[in-house]
Amino acid sequence: MAASQSKLITMTEAVERLVPNGSSVAIGLALEGNIPFAAGHEIIRQRRRDLTLIGPISDMLFDQLISAGCVAEVIAAWVGNVSAGLAHGLRRAVEKGIPRSLSTRDHSNFSMSLALKAAALGAPFIPTRSLLGSDLPHTNPDLIEITNPLNEHGEPLLLVRALRPDVAVVHVQRADETGNAHLWGTLGITEDASLAARQVILVAEEIVRREVILSDPNRIFIPAFKVSAVVHEPGGAHPSPVQGYYNRHHAFYHDYHAATRSHDGFEQWAQEWVYSLPNRTAYLEHLAGDTWQSLQKKHPALAASIDYGY
């Protein structure tokens, strides 16, 4: 698809086309913000199976996908519910095989970023000394300890094997229809994962003219030709925050934590918040009272203007 062509499609179409069964999916890449929950919920509704999830500190979207039976393997530094603690679904899957068995491959946040950076560079691995002396190289075959061939004392070195996701799903503040996008705030490993992935789905709060994006080129984190689909999905990261748009919905995380202590509890939660709601508009309308309005930004904090004149 030419870079000048519109790539704007619905979330349903994006998941149908770009997230088949058996895919490796990098998602939730900006740590606690910009988590593409709307995309995850559509993956659950379409009952995708045998996925490999890739992420750094991976919040409760991983837990939801695991509890829905979508996931066969997790490659991550941590999976949980950041403000509440444990990921009940992950624990049930690993310890009891409920709703299905799950394999895990542990990274640190740093080694995860190196694995994706290697793939983004087209390199087979990146060497590091981080994690030497830990147990991770003994449990993760993608962390390979060798003797440093450039060191006369034979000191050890760790090779972090490249990790190339089939698709990265990234929630951004704004994008144009061709795949140029602005992302700001905490970026985490979004850039490396997007450049490493074979395909990228951009989920945007706003769709704007190309000129708006090009007016600030330093905020464009990947080239448009890497993007396979653009989805306009306001509120698509709730309950996580999106810098400059809405705040984190803390109570939602704690309510999910309490509701999903059992698998039956998760099924009831998913029926209410995923299966019975056909799209994000219905999801936001389902939030109680003025909840969604109360999460909107209240105190604008503008960056200083930038002059690209010549």
Side-chain angles (χ1 to χ4, degrees):
M1 181 180 290
S4 60
Q5 289 182 315
S6 176
K7 301 171 185 176
L8 189 62
I9 59 176
T10 67
M11 184 68 78
T12 299
E13 293 171 313
V15 171
E16 283 179 349
R17 208 173 78 197
L18 300 172
V19 191
N21 291 340
S23 301
S24 57
V25 183
I27 197 166
L29 304 164
L31 305 179
E32 293 183 33
N34 292 63
I35 301 171
F37 280 96
H41 291 177
E42 183 58 31
I43 290 170
I44 293 172
R45 280 192 291 269
Q46 294 192 22
R47 302 186 185 277
R48 289 295 185 258
R49 293 293 181 265
D50 298 321
L51 302 180
T52 296
L53 297 186
I54 298 168
I57 293 178
S58 303
D59 214 325
M60 69 178 189
L61 179 56
F62 270 43
D63 192 66
Q64 293 170 13
L65 289 160
I66 292 166
S67 296
C70 300
V71 183
E73 183 178 22
V74 168
I75 304 175
W78 181 85
V79 179
N81 184 339
V82 169
S83 61
L86 294 174
H88 298 305
L90 170 78
R91 191 162 187 171
R92 280 191 295 270
V94 171
E95 295 180 353
K96 300 178 181 179
I98 298 173
R100 58 160 297 167
S101 60
L102 181 74
S103 65
T104 61
R105 191 166 295 201
D106 293 331
H107 273 275
S108 69
N109 278 328
F110 182 56
S111 66
M112 172 66 72
S113 68
L114 292 182
L116 293 166
K117 172 71 81 175
L121 294 173
F125 56 80
I126 288 181
T128 183
R129 295 178 67 185
S130 178
L131 299 183
L132 289 172
S134 75
D135 287 337
L136 290 186
H138 303 299
T139 62
N140 184 345
D142 292 331
L143 304 174
I144 306 163
E145 188 171 334
I146 66 166
T147 299
N148 186 348
L150 303 179
N151 186 286
E152 62 182 13
H153 302 295
E155 294 181 350
L157 194 65
L158 196 73
L159 305 183
V160 181
R161 195 192 307 272
L163 179 59
R164 184 176 298 280
D166 292 321
V167 60
V169 185
V170 180
H171 193 98
V172 300
Q173 279 90 344
R174 59 193 180 204
D176 67 23
E177 293 188 1
T178 68
N180 297 295
H182 281 169
L183 175 65
W184 63 89
T186 303
L187 305 186
I189 59 173
T190 303
E191 182 177 351
D192 286 335
S194 299
L195 292 173
R198 294 179 175 87
Q199 300 188 92
V200 176
I201 299 172
L202 284 183
V203 185
E205 290 289 327
E206 290 186 84
I207 302 298
V208 298
R209 293 178 297 108
R210 187 168 184 262
E211 290 73 21
V212 173
I213 303 297
L214 297 184
S215 71
D216 192 355
N218 283 0
R219 221 174 294 278
I220 302 173
F221 67 103
I222 56 168
F225 68 77
K226 283 288 298 184
V227 176
S228 299
V230 178
V231 178
H232 184 209
E233 198 76 284
H238 175 274
S240 71
V242 175
Q243 191 83 51
Y245 286 75
Y246 45 89
N247 295 308
R248 193 175 193 270
H249 189 178
H250 295 286
F252 200 92
Y253 283 85
H254 287 270
D255 291 346
Y256 174 82
H257 186 71
T260 59
R261 288 183 180 277
S262 68
H263 186 63
D264 286 344
F266 169 79
E267 290 288 354
Q268 293 174 28
W269 182 92
Q271 183 59 41
E272 178 180 1
W273 287 102
V274 181
Y275 296 118
S276 67
L277 303 174
N279 52 48
R280 203 59 175 181
T281 300
Y283 173 97
L284 295 177
E285 290 174 350
H286 190 60
L287 291 171
D290 63 351
T291 298
W292 180 234
Q293 187 59 38
S294 72
L295 296 171
Q296 305 305 298
K297 68 176 180 184
K298 301 174 180 63
H299 306 289
L302 300 178
S305 62
I306 295 172
D307 189 346
Y308 287 102
Y310 57 91

